[in-house]
Amino acid sequence: MTRERSIPEAALPRLALYLRVLGELTENGAERVSSDELASATGVNSAKLRKDLSYIGSNGTRGVGYEIAPLVHALEGTLGLTQNRSVALVGIGNLGHALVGYSGFAERGFRISALFDVDPDLVGIPIGGIVVEHTRRIPEVCPERGVTIGVVATPGQAAQGACDLLVDAGVRCILNFAPVVLQVPSEVDVRKVDLAVELQILSFHASQHGPGTLPRVVNR
Amino acid sequence: MTRERSIPEAALPRLALYLRVLGELTENGAERVSSDELASATGVNSAKLRKDLSYIGSNGTRGVGYEIAPLVHALEGTLGLTQNRSVALVGIGNLGHALVGYSGFAERGFRISALFDVDPDLVGIPIGGIVVEHTRRIPEVCPERGVTIGVVATPGQAAQGACDLLVDAGVRCILNFAPVVLQVPSEVDVRKVDLAVELQILSFHASQHGPGTLPRVVNR
DNA sequence: ACCTGTGAAGATTTTCACAGCA
DNA sequence: TGCTGTGAAAATCTTCACAGGT
């Protein structure tokens, strides 16, 4: 029983990217696309793109290209987007509010179905149609609502506690916005989005652009 | 004139991570740290950590470990954080507001020094002490304020236009939150944060956790 | 004895380049 | 001829394991 080759981790963000751009192409009325076209629309090397698509099966026709509709279907299946995912969001501060209002989630089949915070002024208030629960109710509410993905948007010092509650509640996938390294059991998957880190990487690149670029003066 | 080995791209996010954790250790009164300690605090393999630190010079003492203060200094220098960076933010919606309020930027030496939007209700209003300018004034305002990093937090269809204005204004580093592939000249560096993509990657992993995990019922 | 720094091996990812089918 | 699918080469990244200071 030979283990089937699984999809390389590095390919996953690109698969999600292809999916989005294919959606845009469909809106523009396209039905077929070649690897070169999709490659230039996504900024990915076309050989890499073909290899990525080959991981999810041979969906193209030689000499022609890819039918968009079945390709989209295959991508959605691979990414597990056919089962509508229920998301819990912990921490309804500035960022939490922005996430609740972010339409990109719903467009991709992610439904925010539970909100949690410790602030008594927030608990009981509906935001975007969902009543905020107290964070301590995570273990009770998450299983009830079939939550499979937890988003941590608390301040740093509250993040590990929120994470622990989510893990207790059976959540196995966590997206962490707090500037903290979360400790989790090995079966739990954590992805981290750290805005300060992104800026620091850019800052590094800015320093590389020749230090002469900085005090640029423009004639007026 | 041999080109000095440059820092691998893959190491940059880790360098930023070490920097943050070292700051926490300093707050706790530590002055020295070994690669094993820092490795377990950051979740990075200790050999990889030592190799990462070796890219920015030999900062440790064999048999002892690393002095935190000079290490922090070296990291800040490498990441270009000693020169205070001036950041422009385009698009003051939900996410833009959250970014203005995010303290993590200031803590790392990033000063948001210009805000832009096209909404006439926003233009002229101060947010977090900075008056919102109309997006069309980017080419004028950014050079005046020495902006080196631009953050695009507009809706997707406005993102390329905002990006073009930033590039015209001499900005060479862009952090893009819009779900769009920005086209830029090769000397411009774009990093992308796509929340929907992060969720889709988690969704993939959720599908891998054995489909039996989903309809988990908890006894009460 | 302890811990850094690093060659070398190993793993993963990207790119090349072309065979093979429409 | 045109474009996919893919072995094989190249590049990059990670891990091992130990030499070499303190």
Side-chain angles (χ1 to χ4, degrees):
Chain A
M1 182 172 171
T2 56
R3 192 89 174 82
E4 193 180 315
R5 160 152 303 312
S6 77
I7 298 178
E9 192 66 25
L12 294 176
R14 294 193 299 266
L15 295 181
L17 174 61
Y18 306 150
L19 186 54
R20 194 186 61 221
V21 172
L22 288 169
E24 289 165 14
L25 291 175
T26 302
E27 280 174 21
N28 295 348
E31 293 179 2
R32 256 189 308 276
V33 69
S34 73
S35 64
D36 274 348
E37 288 163 351
L38 189 53
S40 74
T42 53
V44 172
N45 171 304
S46 76
K48 178 156 56 175
L49 185 146
R50 289 197 298 279
K51 188 147 282 193
D52 286 346
L53 295 186
S54 79
Y55 297 134
I56 63 172
S58 294
N59 297 284
T61 311
R62 289 168 200 231
V64 179
Y66 300 86
E67 293 286 329
I68 292 180
L71 184 54
V72 164
H73 197 263
L75 283 167
E76 286 176 342
T78 300
L79 293 174
L81 302 176
T82 43
Q83 14 193 338
N84 267 29
R85 300 264 171 214
S86 182
V87 177
L89 172 58
V90 191
I92 319 293
N94 271 324
L95 178 61
H97 269 99
L99 293 174
V100 173
Y102 180 50
S103 60
F105 290 166
E107 281 162 18
R108 285 268 159 266
F110 296 98
R111 196 165 36 87
I112 295 187
S113 62
L115 302 176
F116 300 97
D117 204 295
V118 293
D119 182 347
D121 292 346
L122 279 172
V123 171
I125 305 276
I127 296 181
I130 297 166
V131 175
V132 177
E133 305 283 348
H134 193 282
T135 300
R136 79 168 79 86
R137 296 196 59 218
I138 287 176
E140 183 182 347
V141 174
C142 285
E144 276 175 15
R145 304 194 188 167
V147 168
T148 51
I149 296 178
V151 177
V152 175
T154 65
Q157 77 277 6
Q160 184 64 57
C163 171
D164 292 345
L165 286 168
L166 287 167
V167 172
D168 286 351
V171 174
R172 290 288 166 268
C173 298
I174 291 176
L175 181 56
N176 177 30
F177 287 91
V180 167
V181 180
L182 293 179
Q183 309 292 333
V184 294
S186 63
E187 72 272 19
V188 176
D189 224 297
V190 177
R191 291 189 68 82
K192 207 165 123 33
V193 175
D194 190 321
L195 306 179
V197 167
E198 297 297 330
L199 281 186
Q200 285 170 65
I201 294 170
L202 280 177
S203 166
F204 171 82
H205 290 303
S207 338
Q208 306 300 93
H209 283 313
T213 316
L214 248 184
R216 236 177 73 107
V217 179
V218 159
N219 32 357
R220 50 172 98 186
Chain B
M1 181 174 169
T2 56
R3 192 89 174 81
E4 196 179 313
R5 160 155 300 313
S6 76
I7 298 178
E9 192 65 26
L12 294 177
R14 294 193 299 267
L15 294 182
L17 174 61
Y18 306 150
L19 186 54
R20 193 186 62 219
V21 173
L22 288 170
E24 288 166 14
L25 291 176
T26 302
E27 280 174 20
N28 295 348
E31 293 180 2
R32 259 189 307 276
V33 70
S34 72
S35 64
D36 273 348
E37 288 163 351
L38 189 52
S40 75
T42 54
V44 172
N45 171 304
S46 75
K48 178 156 55 174
L49 185 147
R50 288 197 299 278
K51 188 148 282 192
D52 286 346
L53 295 186
S54 79
Y55 297 134
I56 64 172
S58 293
N59 297 282
T61 311
R62 290 169 197 230
V64 179
Y66 299 87
E67 292 287 329
I68 292 180
L71 184 53
V72 163
H73 196 263
L75 284 166
E76 287 177 342
T78 300
L79 293 174
L81 302 176
T82 44
Q83 11 192 341
N84 266 30
R85 300 265 172 212
S86 181
V87 176
L89 172 58
V90 191
I92 319 294
N94 270 325
L95 178 60
H97 268 99
L99 293 173
V100 173
Y102 180 50
S103 60
F105 290 166
E107 281 162 19
R108 285 269 161 264
F110 296 98
R111 196 165 35 87
I112 295 188
S113 61
L115 303 176
F116 299 97
D117 204 294
V118 293
D119 182 345
D121 291 346
L122 280 172
V123 172
I125 304 276
I127 296 181
I130 297 167
V131 174
V132 177
E133 305 283 348
H134 193 282
T135 300
R136 79 167 80 85
R137 297 197 59 219
I138 287 176
E140 183 182 347
V141 173
C142 284
E144 275 174 16
R145 304 193 188 168
V147 168
T148 51
I149 296 178
V151 177
V152 175
T154 65
Q157 77 277 6
Q160 185 63 56
C163 171
D164 292 345
L165 287 169
L166 287 167
V167 172
D168 286 351
V171 175
R172 291 288 166 270
C173 298
I174 291 176
L175 181 56
N176 178 29
F177 287 90
V180 167
V181 180
L182 293 179
Q183 308 292 333
V184 294
S186 63
E187 72 272 19
V188 176
D189 224 297
V190 177
R191 290 189 67 83
K192 208 165 122 37
V193 175
D194 191 321
L195 307 179
V197 167
E198 297 298 329
L199 281 187
Q200 285 170 64
I201 294 170
L202 280 177
S203 167
F204 171 82
H205 290 302
S207 337
Q208 306 299 95
H209 281 314
T213 316
L214 249 184
R216 235 177 73 108
V217 179
V218 158
N219 31 358
R220 50 172 97 188

